[in-house]
Amino acid sequence: MKITVEKSCSVVFSRYKKESDNLNLKIYGNRIVSQKEIKFLGIKFDSKLNFNILVDKIKERCNNRLNIIKILSNKKWGLNQNTLGNLYKSLVGSILDYSFPCLNSFSENNIKKLQAIQNTAVRSILKLKYDTPSNIVHHEAFNKLKLLKVSNRLFELSERYVGTGLSHSIPVVIRLVKEYKEGFESRYIEYPTPLCNCYLTISSFFPET
């Protein structure tokens, strides 16, 4: 396998600016470009790993599709709430779901931005007033559309991913969980990752002795 220099780049991930930001890395004698962000498997990683750029991109993509939900929510289309809810899950929810591995790195403000997208859709589908309190919107979304809050949904996906990996004995998942479990308490406080959300799932496969 040969690495393509033109398609390669380097990114220094750090919350602090360091002199190593501009590393002189070379492949086959050619210097590779240093960047502040990189896109991998559809997810944009910024150098500070706060995912602000990713969340803004998610908002842009979702807002374009929200217009479809708003139009189809008009009574003249004759679509019921269940159909509109399923359309939301397919058109918008799928975009939010794809970001679940980054959950623990999202700031509270970014989570609120994602939740606002869902709230807008729910208000359109259920014909709720714009000033309806968020707690009522969340309650109605779950009762009538079976929609969890965005943070709870991402949490659920994290647990499901880890649980499925462990139940099918996926080597890389088992190895990561075992290594992580050795220092779980300290990592939970200082280095949050998606595995932090899965303590109960992990414990069911690796019971305390």
Side-chain angles (χ1 to χ4, degrees):
M1 181 180 69
K2 186 174 182 179
I3 299 175
T4 304
V5 179
E6 293 76 14
K7 295 182 179 179
S8 302
C9 68
S10 67
V11 180
V12 176
F13 295 106
S14 173
R15 297 293 173 91
Y16 308 98
K17 183 173 178 59
K18 298 181 179 180
E19 294 181 0
S20 58
D21 282 2
N22 294 311
L23 299 176
N24 186 25
L25 301 178
K26 296 182 179 181
I27 299 178
Y28 311 128
N30 298 305
R31 188 174 186 276
I32 61 176
V33 179
S34 177
Q35 296 184 176
K36 294 295 183 182
E37 59 189 58
I38 188 172
K39 191 173 185 179
F40 181 69
L41 295 179
I43 293 181
K44 187 162 286 189
F45 294 83
D46 58 274
S47 60
K48 293 185 178 181
L49 288 180
N50 55 33
F51 294 101
N52 290 339
I53 297 174
L54 173 64
V55 170
D56 288 340
K57 187 64 178 178
I58 289 174
K59 278 185 59 181
E60 181 183 342
R61 292 181 63 198
C62 288
N63 285 333
N64 290 335
R65 299 187 180 195
L66 276 178
N67 291 329
I68 299 175
I69 301 295
K70 291 177 181 178
I71 292 172
L72 295 178
S73 295
N74 192 295
K75 289 183 179 180
K76 71 178 182 180
W77 290 96
L79 300 180
N80 60 39
Q81 293 177 354
N82 288 334
T83 300
L84 290 170
N86 288 332
L87 280 172
Y88 165 80
K89 293 173 185 177
S90 298
L91 296 176
V92 180
S94 58
I95 297 176
L96 300 179
D97 286 354
Y98 193 72
S99 63
F100 84 86
C102 312
L103 170 62
N104 282 87
S105 295
F106 285 168
S107 66
E108 183 178 347
N109 186 51
N110 279 336
I111 289 291
K112 287 180 178 179
K113 289 180 181 179
L114 299 183
Q115 185 62 54
I117 295 170
Q118 179 167 294
N119 290 352
T120 299
V122 171
R123 287 190 174 96
S124 294
I125 294 171
L126 300 182
K127 307 297 187 295
L128 299 177
K129 293 182 179 179
Y130 179 77
D131 58 354
T132 302
S134 295
N135 62 320
I136 294 179
V137 173
H138 301 158
H139 183 268
E140 292 292 284
F142 181 73
N143 284 342
K144 296 182 179 179
L145 303 175
K146 304 303 179 187
L147 287 176
L148 295 170
K149 288 179 61 178
V150 170
S151 57
N152 292 343
R153 171 63 176 170
L154 297 180
F155 170 85
E156 178 188 61
L157 291 173
S158 295
E159 277 206 321
R160 187 185 302 174
Y161 176 82
V162 173
T164 300
L166 292 174
S167 63
H168 288 82
S169 300
I170 305 299
V172 66
V173 176
I174 292 177
R175 178 180 175 182
L176 287 172
V177 169
K178 283 184 175 179
E179 290 179 354
Y180 187 82
K181 191 173 182 295
E182 291 176 359
F184 182 82
E185 292 300 329
S186 61
R187 292 190 185 200
Y188 184 85
I189 296 172
E190 298 181 25
Y191 307 107
T193 77
L195 292 179
C196 294
N197 294 328
C198 308
Y199 181 74
L200 293 178
T201 300
I202 292 172
S203 297
S204 66
F205 284 90
F206 299 94
E208 299 291 340
T209 56

